[in-house]
Amino acid sequence: MFYYERVNQFDTIAVSVDSVDRRRIKGTIDLDGLKFIMYFDYTQDVDIDYDLAGMIMTMPVINYAYFAKRIKLNFPVSLSFLKLVKEFIRINNIETFINSIVRRRYEFFLKEYLPSDEEITQENAEGRTEVLADISDGDKKKLEVDDRKVIVLSSGGKESLLTFGILKEIGAVVYPVFFNESGAHWKTAKVAYDYFSSKYENVLRVWSNVDRFYSFVNRHLKILDQDEIRRKADSYPVQMFIFPVYIFSVLPYVIKYGIGNIALGDELDDPIYEEPYHGIKHYYGVYDQTNDFNLTLTSFLREYGIHCKVFSAVYPIFGTLVEKILVQRYNDLFRVQRSCHLCHYEGGDVKPCGTCSKCLGVLLFMLNAEADPTEAGYSIEHVKQLEDNVNSASMRLDPDELEYLKAKVFEGRRINSHIEGIHQLPGENSAFSLVPERFRDGVRSIVSKYSTGFYKFVGSEWVKID
Amino acid sequence: MENATILSEGVFATTYGKTANGLVRYSKRYHITSVIDSRLAGQDAGQVLMHKPSGIPIISSVEEAINGHAETLIVGIASDGGVLPENYRPYIRTALGYGMNIVSGLHDFVSDDPEFVKIARRTGSRITDVRKLFKDKKYFFTGNIEKVKAKKIAVLGTDSAIGKRTTAIYLNRAMKAIGKKSVMIGTGQTSWMQGFKYTVVVDAIVNDFVAGALETITYEAWDSERPDYMFIEGQGSVLHPAYPGSFEIIGATRPDAIILQHAPMRKYFDGFPGYEIPPLEKYIKILELLSNRKVIAIALNTENMDESMVKEEKSRLQAKFGIPVFDPLQRLSTVTREIDSYNI
């Protein structure tokens, strides 16, 4: 028996669209009879057809494809969408197997459902999820877009804030879109959302109960330790395919306003760490925050008839430099930054927990940027305890970046200048080549003012270039 | 070596895709990371072309090529007249937009197209039109060819796009494998893209200088390498109505022997259905008369033939002409040893 058969939980996960209104789409996700009603609500009237609604509803389901024999799409799909879903499932299955199960950070999975060493194979990683759907041969969309317009998917974190700041400054018509999940996550984004709503135009929001869907499914996965998943942690038990839900859900706004770009806040994926695990290529659980994903989606959207580019304006730089620019150039935006997923209300304000691995990283970034973390909701105590906490925590930063920050913040030494540099990735002829042409020079010009220069990946290390 | 994707939309593994086909088979100048042809997306390029996996995926977009770390896009079509097809323009636009370099061997120069030039200026992309590299070069025939002591074997054909270059490459490799020093003399844009050092793109050069170019490159190869053998890539076909070739190659490089590439199932010249390909014996007579040298072997292009047909045709031609007949895509050690044993 294959490992993926051993952890199979569902015969069929079926996705149906129940209704499509001007401001709401409603669908049912049926997991062998367990039904979840999913909603996506829009703060403005939008024009959504059934196939787009179905596409939006499909994305969250991909998170659980590894544990299902088949995904059934009860709405007609184009061949290109079917191909995309199959590829997403193949990749996400590997991510689930390698990064949720094998290289897990928490013991969410019951021990008896963990694979043996011999079971760590490409075949087991990919699983065998079938996708069933009727192919439609409907007309391709022909959407005229304006390439000056850009949606910035805004989470309240430093990357999306900086992206907003830079794009706005260089003259883009920016639409910050906030994804309002029904649960605690919204607290993280709300500070920025409130600030943006009071100060800027074009601020948009999508509300959804998709996070409840994740909790619902997780509660029904017999392979998970139900006590463990209730504990507060900074990793999800299973779900690693989060951003596609956000991106597909904003497409109605893309269509409404003819928006030519969607910017995400993916920071640098250092190729130094692109090592296969047991010979299996994977993305460390963040495929949906990579250039590979953005380019795949751009290609799909063009095929779908929407010439909208999905990109990140900060992909060649580490979080260290992102924070530095945010603090030093867009200080008002820095003050509304909340990166913690465990935020809480305190005296009417949203405060980060200050001790999760995400917060510890952010505090290092802020101190390195010579910012006052209390301006972004942290306490003096958080700063005082930082060194002890960092030394005892399992940090999520790239080892190079962590070493750099520890030396700089705790010892005042600079040990590796490429961390604050701009990185030209393998395959690129110049840095920022994946940023749409219209914005490229502007982004490069602002970022380079704060960086230590340009670096190219030669052999297996970063080498400074002119 | 630059990572490159080959744009071959709609034509990969056909005669119009011969540039792409050649680069998938062999490339030293570029590291080929993918082939763009949406008809065949998801398959392995080597499997489609040679029934042998190459690890080169066929994809459908520039973005997928970038995902495979391609930094250069090679236009991999050999269209009639070297014209850039209209449906290739969006791919080039997109690639330039991402700052990718472009390499093209077409007569339509990408670097002369105002739209492409404008984007390239903005993004810093480099455009290489291979034929442009040779366009203004002037070479003069000097007679230096007589000093070349290597055995020069020209691989000529009964049609264009019939596999002359591939046969020359494979024979050159097989000759090296039996311990002989051998050099490939490229005469077309694909050979240049494949990275053969001694290459001139003859159909980009003003006619007066073609013979000089062929002599110059052959002599240079001799002077620098002192090889035992040279395999000279033929161009067009001596009786082709649109792409007559071989005259300059025979005249200027003075081959010591000729290998003739022939596709038994091809009845009409490629792309010219009104023009029947004359019989093989006519070619042999003409080429031997022109060169005053022998056609020493026939290389078979086995398109549209199954194994038994190939076997039968080999025996028939061998019996008829009394020279080796071989499939250049199969093992070449026997035929290579045979060629080496000839006193040419």
Side-chain angles (χ1 to χ4, degrees):
Chain A
M1 183 187 242
F2 287 106
Y3 172 74
Y4 58 80
E5 292 171 324
R6 200 148 68 76
V7 293
N8 177 261
Q9 300 287 286
F10 307 110
D11 277 341
T12 305
I13 305 179
V15 183
S16 306
V17 178
D18 300 332
S19 62
V20 176
D21 301 318
R22 304 297 296 175
R23 292 199 177 201
R24 162 170 281 195
I25 57 172
K26 179 184 167 201
T28 301
I29 314 296
D30 184 335
L31 307 102
D32 287 344
L34 281 172
K35 290 185 180 171
F36 185 89
I37 309 297
M38 197 185 287
Y39 298 98
F40 288 85
D41 283 8
Y42 293 83
T43 46
Q44 297 185 359
D45 283 359
V46 282
D47 188 11
I48 307 176
D49 49 27
Y50 266 80
D51 67 330
L52 178 56
M55 282 157 55
I56 296 168
M57 294 285 172
T58 303
M59 292 301 125
V61 168
I62 291 174
N63 284 291
Y64 297 98
Y66 188 72
F67 307 108
K69 283 187 185 146
R70 66 190 69 82
I71 305 291
K72 189 165 183 293
L73 307 180
N74 290 329
F75 53 92
V77 302
S78 64
L79 256 181
S80 59
F81 183 68
L82 184 63
K83 190 179 144 205
L84 183 81
V85 169
K86 284 181 174 175
E87 182 62 1
F88 277 172
I89 286 177
R90 190 189 69 77
I91 292 173
N92 193 65
N93 280 1
I94 295 173
E95 295 307 295
T96 305
F97 178 77
I98 297 290
N99 294 300
S100 285
I101 301 174
V102 180
R103 296 177 67 246
R104 62 198 174 278
R105 298 179 71 233
Y106 297 94
E107 295 302 329
F108 294 130
F109 282 78
L110 293 166
K111 282 195 174 48
E112 57 268 37
Y113 292 109
L114 295 175
S116 64
D117 270 5
E118 294 72 45
E119 286 177 315
I120 303 173
T121 63
Q122 183 76 33
E123 195 166 17
N124 274 330
E126 291 194 15
R128 195 176 289 166
T129 315
E130 197 183 0
V131 184
L132 303 178
D134 288 334
I135 302 296
S136 73
D137 47 7
D139 289 340
K140 208 166 138 173
K141 282 201 165 27
K142 282 182 191 150
L143 181 73
E144 292 292 322
V145 296
D146 182 341
D147 71 354
R148 292 170 307 162
K149 295 181 177 176
V150 54
I151 279 181
V152 175
L153 276 182
S154 300
S155 63
K158 62 188 182 307
E159 285 81 12
S160 57
L161 289 166
L162 179 64
T163 302
F164 174 85
I166 293 177
L167 291 174
K168 187 95 184 149
E169 181 180 343
I170 64 177
V173 182
V174 187
Y175 294 76
V177 183
F178 289 80
F179 194 79
N180 182 177
E181 288 171 286
S182 54
H185 276 161
W186 177 236
K187 284 203 287 278
T188 304
K190 194 172 179 304
V191 183
Y193 176 74
D194 289 343
Y195 178 71
F196 277 49
S197 301
S198 68
K199 192 169 175 190
Y200 299 110
E201 292 177 338
N202 305 329
V203 182
L204 301 168
R205 189 159 58 91
V206 181
W207 177 90
S208 175
N209 62 346
V210 66
D211 56 337
R212 300 285 189 221
F213 167 71
Y214 300 141
S215 308
F216 172 81
V217 184
N218 290 345
R219 276 202 308 277
H220 287 92
L221 287 176
K222 294 188 181 75
I223 49 181
L224 294 181
D225 181 332
Q226 293 299 321
D227 292 332
E228 195 65 27
I229 64 169
R230 276 190 207 100
R231 291 204 185 113
K232 285 191 172 177
D234 52 9
S235 285
Y236 297 119
V238 173
Q239 58 272 33
M240 296 191 162
F241 207 64
I242 308 293
F243 282 75
V245 181
Y246 302 159
I247 296 171
F248 274 85
S249 72
V250 304
L251 289 180
Y253 288 137
V254 168
I255 293 167
K256 178 181 171 99
Y257 292 106
I259 295 169
N261 304 279
I262 299 174
L264 298 118
D266 313 333
E267 61 200 71
L268 181 69
D269 290 320
D270 194 334
I272 287 175
Y273 303 108
E274 279 177 8
E275 279 298 310
Y277 189 84
H278 285 230
I280 304 165
K281 185 191 169 186
H282 68 101
Y283 291 90
Y284 292 85
V286 290
Y287 168 66
D288 61 348
Q289 295 158 63
T290 62
N291 290 320
D292 282 11
F293 169 77
N294 294 346
L295 288 162
T296 300
L297 213 48
T298 300
S299 178
F300 164 74
L301 289 174
R302 187 191 307 118
E303 184 64 27
Y304 182 59
I306 300 179
H307 289 243
C308 179
K309 284 189 175 159
V310 182
F311 73 101
S312 163
V314 293
Y315 76 90
I317 60 176
F318 281 110
T320 302
L321 183 55
V322 170
E323 190 77 64
K324 185 175 160 187
I325 306 170
L326 188 67
V327 167
Q328 296 181 8
R329 196 174 184 100
Y330 307 104
N331 199 260
D332 61 325
L333 299 180
F334 154 71
R335 287 161 186 263
V336 295
Q337 176 190 342
R338 298 291 183 275
S339 300
C340 175
H341 289 168
L342 305 170
C343 281
H344 60 281
Y345 281 106
E346 198 178 293
D349 290 336
V350 176
K351 302 279 190 185
C353 78
T355 54
C356 69
S357 62
K358 191 124 186 152
C359 279
L360 299 180
V362 166
L363 282 163
L364 285 172
F365 293 145
M366 289 178 174
L367 293 172
N368 175 67
E370 295 172 1
D372 175 358
T374 61
E375 291 178 345
Y378 289 102
S379 69
I380 295 291
E381 283 309 302
H382 292 144
V383 178
K384 281 184 185 164
Q385 289 161 7
L386 182 62
E387 188 164 1
D388 287 346
N389 286 341
V390 165
N391 288 331
S392 59
S394 161
M395 298 291 286
R396 300 181 70 181
L397 297 173
D398 281 345
D400 258 12
E401 190 178 23
L402 180 59
E403 285 311 305
Y404 173 85
L405 286 166
K406 280 163 77 172
K408 184 98 181 296
V409 172
F410 300 140
E411 299 165 27
R413 290 188 297 126
R414 184 191 287 272
I415 59 170
N416 178 352
S417 59
H418 91 84
I419 297 298
E420 294 195 29
I422 297 169
H423 301 74
Q424 183 178 320
L425 298 178
E428 280 194 299
N429 290 314
S430 58
F432 289 107
S433 69
L434 301 179
V435 172
E437 266 181 81
R438 175 175 279 282
F439 309 132
R440 195 175 300 158
D441 286 347
V443 173
R444 186 192 281 123
S445 159
I446 290 174
V447 174
S448 61
K449 285 192 178 82
Y450 299 85
S451 82
T452 53
F454 288 81
Y455 294 80
K456 191 174 177 179
F457 198 58
V458 180
S460 59
E461 59 181 54
W462 292 105
V463 175
K464 194 162 188 185
I465 51 177
D466 292 335
Chain B
M1 212 184 313
E2 279 179 36
N3 287 341
T5 186
I6 312 170
L7 174 59
S8 192
E9 179 63 26
V11 298
F12 183 65
T14 71
T15 53
Y16 286 113
K18 68 176 186 172
T19 301
N21 306 346
L23 287 164
V24 166
R25 285 198 168 104
Y26 184 95
S27 179
K28 276 199 301 191
R29 190 182 296 272
Y30 300 101
H31 175 233
I32 306 301
T33 51
S34 54
V35 171
I36 299 176
D37 186 345
S38 59
R39 294 172 312 143
L40 306 165
Q43 303 186 54
D44 180 281
Q47 193 67 45
V48 170
L49 188 67
M50 308 173 279
H51 308 295
K52 205 169 69 181
S54 60
I56 300 173
I58 305 181
I59 56 172
S60 55
S61 69
V62 170
E63 283 83 4
E64 288 171 82
I66 296 170
N67 270 346
H69 290 176
E71 49 206 319
T72 294
L73 179 141
I74 300 174
V75 180
I77 186 170
S79 56
D80 286 331
V83 172
L84 178 68
E86 198 53 37
N87 66 326
Y88 276 38
R89 296 186 67 89
Y91 293 93
I92 296 176
R93 254 193 315 259
T94 304
L96 285 170
Y98 283 117
M100 291 176 83
N101 298 326
I102 305 290
V103 175
S104 168
L106 297 174
H107 284 301
D108 274 356
F109 293 145
V110 176
S111 58
D112 283 352
D113 187 297
E115 184 192 11
F116 296 149
V117 171
K118 201 169 156 191
I119 305 174
R121 273 202 198 116
R122 280 204 304 264
T123 61
S125 298
R126 191 178 68 237
I127 301 173
T128 305
D129 281 304
V130 178
R131 278 176 161 135
K132 208 177 197 182
L133 299 177
F134 292 88
K135 185 171 82 81
D136 296 322
K137 293 215 170 162
K138 292 177 181 170
Y139 303 88
F140 299 92
F141 185 82
T142 61
N144 267 344
I145 195 71
E146 305 304 336
K147 296 178 192 163
V148 177
K149 302 302 174 204
K151 291 177 181 176
K152 305 185 292 300
I153 299 176
V155 181
L156 307 177
T158 54
D159 192 10
S160 59
I162 199 168
K164 300 178 287 288
R165 179 176 30 77
T166 300
T167 298
I169 292 168
Y170 285 177
L171 282 172
N172 182 51
R173 193 168 62 186
M175 198 54 93
K176 287 181 187 168
I178 65 166
K180 299 291 176 184
K181 192 161 183 187
S182 184
V183 169
M184 163 87 179
I185 305 293
T187 59
Q189 64 278 5
T190 307
S191 291
W192 184 91
M193 291 177 195
Q194 287 176 308
F196 290 107
K197 188 176 172 189
Y198 302 104
T199 295
V200 283
V201 182
V202 292
D203 65 9
I205 296 170
V206 170
N207 200 263
D208 274 0
F209 305 117
V210 169
L214 288 162
E215 185 201 41
T216 302
I217 205 73
T218 310
Y219 180 72
E220 262 181 34
W222 164 252
D223 199 35
S224 312
E225 312 282 343
R226 301 283 158 161
D228 300 310
Y229 283 94
M230 288 178 168
F231 287 93
I232 303 160
E233 174 196 5
Q235 285 295 324
S237 164
V238 71
L239 294 172
H240 199 294
Y243 310 121
S246 310
F247 303 102
E248 296 96 337
I249 288 171
I250 289 171
T253 68
R254 329 262 332 140
D256 298 289
I258 291 166
I259 289 174
L260 184 57
Q261 181 94 16
H262 169 58
M265 301 308 285
R266 221 184 262 197
K267 298 299 170 209
Y268 301 96
F269 285 110
D270 183 47
F272 296 86
Y275 293 84
E276 209 169 318
I277 298 178
L280 193 55
E281 42 271 53
K282 188 167 179 178
Y283 280 93
I284 294 176
K285 267 188 198 163
I286 291 173
L287 293 173
E288 289 187 347
L289 264 174
L290 273 175
S291 65
N292 204 25
R293 289 290 188 272
K294 287 283 179 203
V295 172
I296 58 166
I298 295 168
L300 282 190
N301 174 329
T302 60
E303 64 189 16
N304 303 318
M305 295 170 83
D306 62 28
E307 237 172 87
S308 66
M309 289 162 81
V310 172
K311 208 171 158 190
E312 205 177 300
E313 188 65 4
K314 264 190 192 173
S315 315
R316 194 181 72 77
L317 294 176
Q318 224 152 300
K320 187 170 178 183
F321 296 107
I323 53 176
V325 179
F326 66 99
D327 176 354
L329 303 183
Q330 303 301 322
R331 282 173 60 84
L332 294 178
S333 51
T334 310
V335 71
T336 312
R337 282 182 203 285
E338 205 163 338
I339 292 168
D340 186 43
S341 71
Y342 292 166
N343 184 22
I344 51 174

